[in-house]
Amino acid sequence: MQRHDVLVVGAGLAGQRAALEAVRAGLDVGMLSKLHPLRSHSAAAQGGINASLGPQDSVKDHVFDTVKGSDYLADQDAVEILCREAGPIVIEMEHFGTIFNRAADGSLDRRAFGGASYNRTIFSADRTGLALLQGLYEELSREKRLKVYEEWSALDLVVRGGRVQGVVALDRKSGNIDGFAARAVVIATGPFGRTYPNTTNSHASTGDGTALAYRAGAFLKDMEMVQFHPTCLPGSWILITEGARGEGGILRNGKGERFMSRYAPNKLELASRDVVSRAIATEVQEGRGFPDGTCRLELMHLGREKVETKLQEIVEFSRNFAGIDPVVEGIPVYPGQHYMMGGVSTNPRAETNISGLFAAGEAACVSVHGANRLGANSLLETLVYGKIAGTNAASSASKAPASDLSQADVDRAVQRVHAIWDRKQGEPPAVIRNDMQKAMREDVGIYRTPQQLEAARAKLVELQKRYLNVYVQDKSTTYNVNLTDALELGYLLDLAQAIVAAAILRTESRGAHVRLDFPKRDDANWLKHILVQSSPKGPALSFLPVTVTSYQPMERHY
């Protein structure tokens, strides 16, 4: 049994920033991750991080752009914190050693991003997430009081007496299961995009911490809000960063038209992501796409030097995975699942409804993104709210009683895992996962109908029943990926059900959630968050008001 004051589950940007803040508060901190920290999904973020550091920009403008981009579902008090702390957090990361691109005068270079009124996206070529992760990891490595548990998969979040007691986890290297007692726990396990097959998310993005918090009684929020990134490489679904459009890239359909003038005459390719995604999908569905069912993102006019220096990864991805050279020809693109606006519901202090449990990053939903996230606000959220989560988890732990996590808690997890491990026959997890992903892709996509959503709900109920008979062929103890796949599938099924339940309930179109039977936004009835809580009968739904401070909802125009 391991014991810490604070346990952080997840080691991406949000988890590392939370751990750094907690350990600097003088507490004993553990950080548990199923990957090496530098392989966390934060490293996949490409385009940049927003901060209003420009001479004409302001925090107020950043707040307004974010609230407008959210289709007014974001909580404005949380957005104000995000944008106010953006400048200091970027400067802090630069002091930690993050190497950002510089302008000719030596200042931090900034590029345009969708939905922004100013160029406020600070970047490191098109590898910004990796640059931030490396800088933060180097800083964190100096802290001797931090214990890092690499390649451990969380199995249970233990809550007793209304308070979190710790986590039970599986050591992937040995197959052993152990307990991690803690006075406070921070969930920072990242996204759950693997509910979909057409996703930019890594294979590790299975929502472990979000699902475990849900099973333990935490509320989820805004789960129906699933972001599709406009420009992905079909087939591999590798992301083509919004930074490509920020540097001047343009979209054309199969007729050679720069079609965004029909959908966003002012912002064109730099409208918010939901607008651009729907535009590309509509062009293809109405027969104006290319024969391969895509549109094209053109960078050729930018010149070889600019493309190959500021968009290095995009050049490599296009050449290696699409067989095209973006310096001389257009990149085939189509929207793919990219980001989850929903997650574990928190307040602006990163607190959940369970005492001692905090959450940050994409695993959480403080609702700074509402119904649609602006590009380059995600890296910002991981650092700002990761720091807040670490601060408040440390404060909570310093006042909390000792954890009473026991061997009985560990034994229950062992029994549950061995029920899967020891099963002699059944259905492989890959078969169930493929059926889940097919249902989510076909019925819970960019455009949604009640018939599709009900079909998805029925399919997920069926898959949950089939999951009770999931079978693991590999009986080894060392790095049993077959076993961890089966466990992660359970998390994905739970979260997919929550997405569908909320999508059925929200009878309006707002941001990324588009109901063809309710095509208009309905502020009179739906300016509120949907909360989802686990119950024996499935997802239980309730509501939470949206916090409005400065900006009353108005129609969005780009």
Side-chain angles (χ1 to χ4, degrees):
M1 184 81 67
Q2 311 299 319
R3 294 190 176 273
H4 298 282
D5 296 320
V6 175
L7 180 70
V8 178
V9 185
L13 287 171
Q16 288 190 36
R17 193 61 192 83
L20 180 63
E21 203 64 19
V23 78
R24 287 184 171 176
L27 275 69
D28 179 0
V29 181
M31 185 171 69
L32 184 147
S33 174
K34 67 181 181 182
L35 302 170
H36 185 282
L38 288 179
R39 294 191 62 82
S40 300
H41 187 59
S42 297
Q46 297 171 349
I49 180 170
N50 285 334
S52 55
L53 292 173
Q56 296 178 316
D57 202 357
S58 69
V59 170
K60 182 179 178 181
D61 289 327
H62 190 184
V63 171
F64 174 71
D65 289 345
T66 300
V67 172
K68 177 183 175 182
S70 79
D71 220 349
Y72 294 90
L73 193 69
D75 287 316
Q76 294 179 25
D77 55 343
V79 174
E80 289 164 3
I81 293 170
L82 179 79
C83 300
R84 184 175 66 243
E85 296 301 319
I89 211 82
V90 166
I91 292 169
E92 177 182 71
M93 290 305 301
E94 203 248 352
H95 290 176
F96 286 173
T98 303
I99 300 174
F100 293 110
N101 276 50
R102 296 282 176 170
D105 64 358
S107 64
L108 292 173
D109 202 0
R110 294 177 294 277
R111 61 170 41 135
F113 247 58
S117 50
Y118 294 96
N119 294 5
R120 67 168 65 97
T121 301
I122 295 156
F123 60 97
S124 180
D126 52 359
R127 297 183 176 94
T128 310
L130 180 60
L132 290 167
L133 196 65
Q134 289 171 333
L136 182 55
Y137 184 68
E138 184 176 351
E139 185 71 17
L140 192 63
S141 297
R142 297 188 176 99
E143 300 295 340
K144 304 304 181 186
R145 293 190 303 274
L146 175 69
K147 178 71 179 291
V148 180
Y149 301 90
E150 295 174 12
E151 299 182 315
W152 283 79
S153 289
L155 299 174
D156 277 328
L157 178 69
V158 180
V159 175
R160 199 159 27 247
R163 183 170 188 85
V164 70
Q165 305 298 330
V167 169
V168 180
L170 167 72
D171 182 359
R172 292 185 169 213
K173 296 184 289 293
S174 67
N176 294 330
I177 295 173
D178 201 359
F180 294 79
R183 299 170 188 262
V185 172
V186 178
I187 297 295
T189 51
F192 38 100
R194 283 288 155 179
T195 45
Y196 289 79
N198 52 329
T199 180
T200 66
N201 284 192
S202 68
H203 287 280
S205 299
T206 51
D208 305 27
T210 305
L212 292 178
Y214 177 57
R215 291 176 181 180
F219 286 111
L220 306 182
K221 184 167 62 188
D222 295 348
M223 291 295 286
E224 70 276 25
M225 301 303 177
V226 179
Q227 182 167 82
F228 286 79
H229 195 287
T231 54
C232 305
L233 281 177
S236 65
W237 297 106
I238 291 172
L239 176 68
I240 303 299
T241 175
E242 192 166 315
R245 285 172 281 135
E247 294 294 342
I250 61 175
L251 290 165
R252 293 195 189 275
N253 62 19
K255 294 184 175 183
E257 298 171 322
R258 189 179 181 182
F259 58 86
M260 281 308 302
S261 59
R262 282 196 284 272
Y263 304 91
N266 297 318
K267 298 295 287 185
L268 299 170
E269 287 82 7
L270 291 176
S272 65
R273 285 180 176 174
D274 59 321
V275 173
V276 183
S277 290
R278 287 194 295 274
I280 294 173
T282 299
E283 290 296 303
V284 172
Q285 290 171 12
E286 294 184 355
R288 294 187 294 276
F290 282 79
D292 60 359
T294 68
C295 290
R296 294 291 187 268
L297 175 63
E298 295 186 353
L299 306 176
M300 303 90 76
H301 57 287
L302 302 178
R304 179 178 295 274
E305 182 181 358
K306 185 172 185 177
V307 173
E308 291 189 341
T309 56
K310 289 195 172 182
L311 299 169
Q312 300 161 10
E313 274 197 344
I314 301 313
V315 172
E316 293 173 12
F317 292 153
S318 299
R319 290 171 178 169
N320 295 336
F321 293 93
I324 65 103
D325 186 349
V327 174
V328 297
E329 57 189 319
I331 305 170
V333 293
Y334 194 79
Q337 192 284 332
H338 177 60
Y339 190 87
M340 296 294 185
M341 274 73 78
V344 181
S345 178
T346 76
N347 62 20
R349 291 174 52 82
E351 297 167 324
T352 72
N353 60 303
I354 296 173
S355 183
L357 180 64
F358 300 79
E362 198 171 347
C365 179
V366 64
S367 208
V368 290
H369 308 306
N372 174 69
R373 176 177 67 80
L374 290 189
N377 269 354
S378 56
L379 290 176
L380 178 61
E381 184 199 11
T382 62
L383 296 170
V384 169
Y385 279 98
K387 183 175 183 178
I388 289 170
T391 297
N392 292 317
S395 176
S396 175
S398 66
K399 305 167 189 173
S403 165
D404 71 349
L405 189 75
S406 68
Q407 186 60 41
D409 296 311
V410 177
D411 292 343
R412 277 191 292 272
V414 170
Q415 291 169 8
R416 182 166 58 82
V417 170
H418 276 274
I420 297 173
W421 212 337
D422 299 338
R423 191 169 289 136
K424 304 300 182 185
Q425 59 184 2
E427 192 169 9
V431 175
I432 302 173
R433 183 183 65 242
N434 289 344
D435 285 351
M436 172 197 66
Q437 291 178 335
K438 180 182 177 183
M440 295 298 286
R441 181 189 68 231
E442 294 180 354
D443 295 329
V444 200
I446 294 175
Y447 293 110
R448 301 168 178 181
T449 68
Q451 294 80 12
Q452 288 175 313
L453 293 172
E454 288 294 347
R457 174 155 62 181
K459 187 65 177 179
L460 289 168
V461 170
E462 173 205 320
L463 293 174
Q464 286 281 22
K465 293 177 181 177
R466 286 165 55 185
Y467 181 71
L468 297 176
N469 198 38
V470 70
Y471 169 66
V472 172
Q473 186 177 12
D474 185 355
K475 305 301 181 183
S476 64
T477 56
T478 302
Y479 292 110
N480 189 331
V481 177
N482 195 194
L483 174 64
T484 52
D485 279 352
L487 295 168
E488 290 165 354
L489 173 60
Y491 306 144
L492 291 171
L493 286 169
D494 285 356
L495 297 172
Q497 279 195 306
I499 291 169
V500 172
I504 289 172
L505 185 61
R506 185 174 287 276
T507 52
E508 66 158 357
S509 290
R510 183 186 296 268
H513 173 71
V514 177
R515 288 279 297 261
L516 293 180
D517 53 332
F518 293 95
K520 300 294 184 181
R521 196 179 78 192
D522 180 3
D523 292 329
N525 295 301
W526 284 108
L527 190 63
K528 56 189 176 184
H529 303 290
I530 296 175
L531 298 179
V532 189
Q533 193 171 35
S534 180
S535 80
K537 295 182 179 180
L541 305 174
S542 56
F543 301 105
L544 186 69
V546 171
T547 301
V548 177
T549 57
S550 302
Y551 302 106
Q552 293 298 319
M554 63 180 71
E555 188 175 354
R556 287 196 305 165
H557 294 286
Y558 289 103

